[in-house]
């Protein structure tokens, strides 16, 4: 007996995209806060947060692209 998997609904895709976005922003803010706690210079704080956000956002865009192509 075989089972078929249902395609994700639009609501689920939206939820997944929103989750990735909030994860990216949370990671960026966390990196900034950690750098501030260690009394890093302002440039290091901005750089850590920006780099983390950039990586996470790039991954999020790949997930969005993958979900869009599977529709």
């Amino acid at each position: 007996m075989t089972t078929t998997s249902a395609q994700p609904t639009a609501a689920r895709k939206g939820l997944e995209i929103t989750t990735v976005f909030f994860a990216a922003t949370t990671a960026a803010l966390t990196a900034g806060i950690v750098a501030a706690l260690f009394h890093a210079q302002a440039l290091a704080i901005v750089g850590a947060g920006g780099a983390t956000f950039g990586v996470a956002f790039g991954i999020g865009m790949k997930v969005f692209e993958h979900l869009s192509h599977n529709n």
Side-chain angles (χ1 to χ4, degrees):
M1 181 159 111
T2 59
T3 59
T4 58
S5 61
Q7 292 291 328
T9 63
R12 181 175 171 157
K13 287 182 181 181
L15 180 61
E16 290 171 348
I17 293 166
T18 303
T19 301
V20 169
F21 174 76
F22 282 117
T25 55
T26 301
L29 290 172
T30 301
I33 291 168
V34 168
L37 289 175
F38 287 107
H39 303 289
Q41 295 179 353
L43 184 58
I45 294 170
V46 173
T52 304
F53 179 81
V55 169
F57 188 77
I59 293 169
M61 291 306 294
K62 291 292 182 186
V63 170
F64 177 77
E65 183 179 351
H66 176 73
L67 292 173
S68 295
H69 284 84
N70 285 340
N71 189 5

